[in-house]
Amino acid sequence: MPTKTPVTLIPGDGIGPECVEAARRIIEAAGVPLEWEIAEAGAEVFKKGLPSGVPAETMDSIARTRVALKGPLETPVGFGEKSANVTLRKLYETYANVRPVREMPGVTTPYSGRGIDLVMVRENVEDLYAGIEYMQTPGVAQALKLISDKGCEKIARFAFEYARSEGRTKVACATKANIMKLSEGTLKRVFERVAPDYPEIEPWHVIVDNAAHQLVKRPEQFEVIVTTNMNGDILSDLSSALIGGLGFAPSANIGNDVAIFEAVHGSAPKYAGKNVINPTAVILSGVLMLRYLGHFEQASAIEHAIFVTLESGVLTGDVLGYDRGTPTTEYTDAIIGNLGKRSATWTVRDVRPLQLPKIDPAPDYVKATTRAVVGLDVFVESPMTAAELGASLMELTHDTRLSLKMISSRGTKVFPPTGALTESGDHFRCRFIIKEAPGDLPDEDVNQLLARISRRHSWMHIEKLQEFDGELGFTRDQGEN
Ligand code: NAP
């Protein structure tokens, strides 16, 4: 008897148990030696009063098995504070979210016959989805978009490694580096830095809004797309719609230690328990899991069986209409019955083991040889006009080490006046530059400046203006020289 690989199985909420049961039955019928550890997470756990939605026993199971196949988890309104899905992804640093999007036989869409077959590789733990947000004034919100060089190196290398494992020839990097030169720009720069290590793969950069346009216009041109967290969230849902919807969209959350496989879709509560939903997304997530675990033959057998089933016209209600679709359990039986058959028209990729990138674990991943502080941005809440605020700040701070260079409103310079018709609110960024000998800004100088500003104004945030190895570590505003 081969040793069985333990896998944590989370049935989840809504349609989750039906989808997960379909995947489990098919994987077992394909003869994969897995040992399931059934674990709980989601709505019922929230109802018991656990705010994370993930009990300790489930975390213990995943820590032990390091692999989970999960159904969708509801985030109930009124219970708990966090999404149990996000908790799981973040808890195990599953930094790569892989979402393959492939045309399916028998599933007619406006794109049928175009051969869509792409993989979205979305960074899964950084970016705006870190959820670090502040109300800086009663009417102005701020969200921090944190992007690290190390995080970008992990996801960029992962995308190339994933392409290599599937024998793909091109990787596109989709960013908004033209506008967000430091944050989105980091992914572009790192992508271009690591690309030469994968000489057989053609790298290209595409601005993310054009990526959305190209995905709708000519999706077949893409093989692998690597992108930041929020861009990836939007582009991958868009891509799923091109091939027939969420019922066919699998995903994997992969980290160095743990991998969690799940459909892109949610718990679709209105269909729960009705035996009508399409379990293919969870079954295909299981296929991704089998390849991750090295069961390549069985993964291919299941993929072929799905293709043969769809080709034979056995389709669920999301494709045919819920009054005409094959019930979930019969659809599952049909796939099991087709195990061992090969699709005559649809190919299954020859997949090689995925090599996870080895990244230096040093916390100070990028080391600067020289660094200098050249000024301070002070964010001020004020009902004054920019001209009034500028005059007041200059008067208050004229004998400090820093001088007011400019004030901006939502990124546009409003003082000294530029003639632009910018409508300011009560939120201003006031940029102070060290007058002489920049390089160091002791706390006494910062404290003196803030104390002077506080005599008349309310500040809520400061940011040091730094240079690393002679490169500016901050952006200039629209209109600033
Ligand atoms: P959803 O559950 O994905 O459902 C949206 C719609 O997609 C359904 O109404 C249905 O469309 C279609 N659909 C989704 N899965 C399907 C399947 N397997 N077969 C057939 N059709 C399917 O999105 P939601 O309604 O926004 O979210 C419901 C709950 O799920 C929320 O609590 C949300 O937080 C949670 N959620 C969890 C995850 C996760 O666990 N990873 C992901 C997303 C959402 P039609 O009505 O047009 O037939």
Side-chain angles (χ1 to χ4, degrees):
M1 283 284 283
T3 335
K4 289 189 171 183
T5 309
V7 168
T8 303
L9 190 72
I10 303 174
D13 301 320
I15 60 170
E18 295 163 71
C19 300
V20 167
E21 178 60 7
R24 188 188 64 76
R25 284 182 56 212
I26 292 168
I27 290 170
E28 283 181 1
V32 189
L34 299 185
E35 174 135 0
W36 306 104
E37 288 192 10
I38 314 286
E40 211 188 3
E44 291 307 313
V45 182
F46 283 119
K47 281 183 199 156
K48 287 180 200 161
L50 198 68
S52 69
V54 186
E57 304 82 69
T58 301
M59 286 178 352
D60 288 348
S61 172
I62 297 174
R64 211 170 29 247
T65 64
R66 312 244 158 176
V67 181
L69 178 63
K70 70 176 270 291
L73 305 178
E74 219 175 279
T75 308
V77 182
F79 296 100
E81 287 164 18
K82 299 270 177 202
S83 148
N85 297 301
V86 177
T87 302
L88 282 170
R89 282 175 211 159
K90 284 192 177 277
L91 217 54
Y92 301 106
E93 189 77 23
T94 56
Y95 64 86
N97 184 227
V98 180
R99 294 184 170 189
V101 175
R102 187 175 180 190
E103 182 177 340
M104 290 280 149
V107 182
T108 309
T109 73
Y111 293 91
S112 291
R114 302 260 297 256
I116 296 174
D117 182 8
L118 62 92
V119 182
M120 196 70 66
V121 176
R122 163 189 169 195
E123 201 291 322
N124 215 17
V125 290
E126 298 193 339
D127 195 5
L128 288 164
Y129 286 15
I132 308 170
E133 297 193 304
Y134 304 93
M135 291 307 297
Q136 292 202 323
T137 79
V140 178
Q142 182 204 38
L144 279 189
K145 181 176 169 80
L146 289 176
I147 305 263
S148 72
D149 191 290
K150 186 178 184 175
C152 290
E153 175 138 7
K154 280 160 84 173
I155 199 69
R157 286 195 181 279
F158 182 94
F160 281 111
E161 291 291 353
Y162 196 89
R164 197 173 252 179
S165 77
E166 294 202 343
R168 298 189 183 250
T169 59
K170 291 190 294 181
V171 176
C173 175
T175 77
K176 196 67 188 171
N178 52 329
I179 304 293
M180 286 174 272
K181 295 180 195 304
L182 298 184
S183 55
E184 289 279 314
T186 299
L187 179 59
K188 179 173 184 287
R189 279 187 295 279
V190 171
F191 176 79
E192 287 163 357
R193 185 174 81 209
V194 305
D197 291 346
Y198 306 87
E200 78 280 22
I201 298 169
E202 182 192 331
W204 56 297
H205 178 259
V206 56
I207 293 174
V208 68
D209 35 340
N210 186 30
H213 171 240
Q214 293 296 328
L215 274 166
V216 173
K217 202 171 170 201
R218 221 157 51 81
E220 60 277 12
Q221 70 184 293
F222 292 102
E223 290 193 49
V224 175
I225 301 176
V226 60
T227 188
T228 47
N229 199 340
M230 186 163 130
N231 289 336
D233 194 11
I234 298 165
L235 289 186
S236 57
D237 267 32
L238 182 157
S239 307
S240 311
L242 305 176
I243 51 104
L246 289 170
F248 295 99
S251 86
N253 302 286
I254 300 180
N256 287 338
D257 304 304
V258 164
I260 301 173
F261 299 84
E262 61 179 335
V264 171
H265 64 70
S267 58
K270 68 179 172 184
Y271 297 121
K274 295 191 175 152
N275 198 25
V276 294
I277 49 83
N278 183 353
T280 313
V282 177
I283 301 167
L284 286 172
S285 305
V287 168
L288 293 175
M289 181 184 78
L290 294 186
R291 294 204 168 111
Y292 176 82
L293 292 172
H295 298 291
F296 294 102
E297 256 179 54
Q298 291 96 329
S300 296
I302 295 173
E303 218 178 333
H304 268 297
I306 294 171
F307 292 155
V308 172
T309 305
L310 296 172
E311 280 163 351
S312 72
V314 176
L315 295 154
T316 42
D318 52 328
V319 183
L320 292 182
Y322 285 101
D323 51 336
R324 292 194 294 135
T326 305
T328 311
T329 43
E330 283 176 36
Y331 177 75
T332 307
D333 292 339
I335 295 174
I336 292 171
N338 286 326
L339 282 167
K341 295 184 189 157
R342 293 177 69 83
S343 164
T345 47
W346 238 250
T347 56
V348 165
R349 273 183 183 279
D350 190 13
V351 181
R352 282 178 289 157
L354 170 69
Q355 301 296 325
L356 288 179
K358 304 250 180 307
I359 306 286
D360 181 352
D364 51 344
Y365 192 62
V366 179
K367 296 174 182 67
T369 310
T370 64
R371 52 176 72 215
V373 180
V374 298
L376 191 74
D377 274 354
V378 183
F379 290 70
V380 170
E381 178 183 350
S382 172
M384 288 180 167
T385 65
E388 289 166 347
L389 179 63
S392 172
L393 288 175
M394 289 214 292
E395 189 191 330
L396 288 168
T397 62
H398 73 279
D399 59 347
T400 66
R401 238 191 107 201
L402 296 119
S403 70
L404 180 69
K405 183 182 179 213
M406 64 107 202
I407 300 175
S408 70
S409 164
R410 294 156 300 140
T412 302
K413 182 175 156 190
V414 289
F415 179 86
T418 61
L421 299 177
T422 309
E423 188 185 328
S424 301
D426 60 357
H427 178 272
F428 294 96
R429 179 166 65 154
C430 308
R431 176 155 289 179
F432 290 88
I433 296 292
I434 299 176
K435 288 177 198 161
E436 283 167 23
D440 187 24
L441 185 63
D443 289 354
E444 308 84 82
D445 294 336
V446 174
N447 291 339
Q448 185 195 30
L449 185 84
L450 295 177
R452 292 294 182 84
I453 293 172
S454 294
R455 285 181 185 171
R456 285 186 213 151
H457 307 286
S458 169
W459 65 271
M460 87 300 285
H461 178 76
I462 56 172
E463 193 81 41
K464 281 185 182 173
L465 302 178
Q466 306 188 79
E467 286 180 6
F468 300 111
D469 292 332
E471 297 279 336
L472 284 192
F474 53 96
T475 52
R476 292 210 166 90
D477 276 344
Q478 204 77 39
E480 184 189 359
N481 296 316

